[in-house]
Amino acid sequence: MKYVRLIMAVVVTFLFCSAFTMKKGGEKPVYAFGVAASFSDTVVYYTDIQLLDSVVLDKQGFLPQRDQYSYQLKNHLEYQMNKPNYTCIIYFSENRNKLEKEASKVKAKYQKGNLTLQGIEAAAFKFEKPQL
């Protein structure tokens, strides 16, 4: 009877500890989209929502090196599309549905301002993990 109690205690302890380690190790995917606007142009460019490759949000819930993602979009506009002087903004979330709602809100605000929205195709531009 002692051994049964001891084995049950070990099993319960093992299950209890493994539940917390499973939760901690599970990485959530991070999604992002970008918007680029200029004060001198009526066209606002935006990207599709993309899954960021091997990215984990920091303890405060921010995207590490988020400025580098903005620069990637800015460089694409300047050098590939010949559209200088755009300000680029990156929106990100671990929840794709929330990010889709945010994207529709952002697009609606720009459309209210009589600006033309133009999408950047995923084949033409994809966010890449910045090198350290």
Side-chain angles (χ1 to χ4, degrees), residues 91-109:
Y91 294 86
F92 60 91
S93 177
E94 292 178 332
N95 187 328
R96 185 177 177 99
N97 292 334
K98 285 184 182 179
L99 196 60
E100 287 173 354
K101 288 179 185 177
E102 185 69 27
S104 62
K105 285 181 189 177
V106 169
K107 290 175 188 177
K109 281 184 182 182

Side-chain angles (χ1 to χ4, degrees), residues 33-37 44-47 49 73 87-92 98-118:
F33 75 94
V35 176
V44 175
Y45 294 96
Y46 66 93
T47 66
I49 295 176
L73 181 57
T87 302
C88 299
I89 304 166
I90 300 299
Y91 294 86
F92 60 91
K98 285 184 182 179
L99 196 60
E100 287 173 354
K101 288 179 185 177
E102 185 69 27
S104 62
K105 285 181 189 177
V106 169
K107 290 175 188 177
K109 281 184 182 182
Y110 282 118
Q111 286 175 334
K112 244 184 196 179
N114 294 327
L115 299 172
T116 305
L117 290 174
Q118 183 171 347

Side-chain angles (χ1 to χ4, degrees), residues 5-16:
R5 285 185 189 170
L6 181 63
I7 291 172
M8 291 302 285
V10 169
V11 168
V12 168
T13 304
F14 177 74
L15 290 174
F16 183 74

